[in-house]
Amino acid sequence: MTDPVVVSTVAELDQVLAGSTRPRAVVPTMGALHPGHAALVRAARESVGPDGTVVATVFVNPTQFGAGEDLDRYPRTLPDDVVLAGAAGCDVVFAPAATEVYGPAGRFRHDSVTIDPGPLGDVLEGAVRPGHFRGVLTVVAKLLALTGPDVAMFGEKDYQQLVLITRMAADLSLPTRIVPVATVREADGLALSSRNRYLSAAEREDALVLSRALRAVEAAVGEGAERALAAGREVLAERPSVAVDYLGRTDPALGPAPEHGPARVLVAARVGTTRLIDNKAVLVP
Ligand code: PAF
């Protein structure tokens, strides 16, 4: 395995990818890579094969952060990211500055054209983080345009993001296939997230109620929607310091919860100053 080529400008990226007809996969990330990202890179490598090209993008996208969110303190660990991505099978790391992606302003201007996520962008995460998914979809569309991949990998951990990106690719007839990759968890159930590194040891213990609440909903899913969600809320209430933003059930496309069949349970909460999200597929009998 050779070290990935690291480029920071669009011109360099174009040069590295120029003329290649090999299958290409992209793994868009905001860096601070962990084993969950390694799983995305490995899935990308598997998808394009040994002769294909795997590109990882590392870009902390300012336009998906709201005022007062953690844009400034978001961990930036590019040298470690390059090592992790390379070990997982990545060929090229594209790590641009904000001005390279958005021009001199480094973010949207008042007259920028952006991608409207539609009504699904206003629920769950979108209700708590207004404008978040406009920022996500716009940067993902740009990153797909810049890297020109056949496939792009996204983790199920950010489930609403995955659904919206899949919708964007379908609704805008983008030529890239969006591939979901299962959430990677610690042995105790904590979903891997770049933001976990903000947690103190005590907060990390508290954070375990998110995955436990999802499992409680799953265990009670046959008892009706209200009872199942109540079971989840009871678990969350065991840690009063965890401020819950939502615990909800939807269908797999984030529409109204089905009476029977596949469904999704989603949770978001603040643990100290760290906002965490998690979700789980459940089958309603
Ligand atoms: O999931 C993330 O890391 C980001 O939201 C993404 C998809 C890279 C867009 O900035």
Side-chain angles (χ1 to χ4, degrees):
M1 193 147 305
T2 53
D3 290 341
V5 177
V6 183
V7 294
S8 60
T9 67
V10 172
E12 287 169 334
L13 179 70
D14 286 348
Q15 205 173 15
V16 169
L17 300 177
S20 168
T21 55
R22 295 162 187 255
R24 187 179 304 160
V26 70
V27 179
T29 81
M30 296 208 301
L33 302 189
H34 51 64
H37 293 109
L40 295 174
V41 175
R42 281 197 304 274
R45 169 57 62 204
E46 226 162 83
S47 170
V48 296
D51 297 330
T53 305
V54 175
V55 181
T57 66
V58 173
F59 178 58
V60 183
N61 172 36
T63 67
Q64 67 189 76
F65 289 79
E69 291 189 353
D70 57 344
L71 172 62
D72 292 337
R73 74 163 177 152
Y74 198 86
R76 286 149 169 97
T77 60
L78 185 60
D80 291 346
D81 295 344
V82 172
V83 172
L84 183 143
C90 175
D91 300 303
V92 181
V93 172
F94 175 48
T99 47
E100 187 71 15
V101 176
Y102 290 111
R107 49 187 315 124
F108 294 153
R109 299 177 340 180
H110 74 281
D111 58 348
S112 294
V113 173
T114 58
I115 298 209
D116 181 351
L120 280 186
D122 292 332
V123 300
L124 300 165
E125 282 302 283
V128 183
R129 306 182 68 189
H132 171 66
F133 288 115
R134 178 180 300 276
V136 169
L137 294 191
T138 305
V139 83
V140 169
K142 284 169 84 76
L143 292 170
L144 295 181
L146 292 171
T147 55
D150 301 291
V151 292
M153 300 6 231
F154 292 91
E156 289 189 354
K157 156 74 173 33
D158 295 297
Y159 190 74
Q160 189 173 6
Q161 167 176 288
L162 168 66
V163 169
L164 278 166
I165 290 169
T166 306
R167 283 290 302 265
M168 172 177 76
D171 292 354
L172 301 184
S173 306
L174 302 184
T176 301
R177 186 165 57 87
I178 305 301
V179 177
V181 177
T183 302
V184 178
R185 295 179 184 279
E186 305 272 14
D188 58 12
L190 185 69
L192 295 195
S193 160
S194 301
R195 290 186 168 99
N196 289 353
R197 62 183 76 195
Y198 298 150
L199 299 170
S200 68
E203 288 171 344
R204 193 191 172 289
E205 276 301 303
D206 290 344
L208 292 177
V209 286
L210 272 75
S211 54
R212 283 197 5 244
L214 295 176
R215 291 200 300 275
V217 175
E218 182 180 39
V221 85
E223 298 170 26
E226 270 323 303
R227 178 66 212 117
L229 288 174
R233 275 188 225 109
E234 278 162 29
V235 171
L236 291 167
E238 288 169 16
R239 298 281 170 153
S241 60
V242 172
V244 180
D245 281 334
Y246 58 80
L247 172 71
R249 203 175 81 170
T250 68
D251 75 0
L254 299 179
E259 298 215 349
H260 305 284
R264 204 88 196 179
V265 187
L266 303 101
V267 65
R270 277 157 292 129
V271 182
T273 56
T274 305
R275 194 156 179 288
L276 298 175
I277 58 174
D278 200 352
N279 70 87
K280 195 173 197 339
V282 296
L283 193 62
V284 188

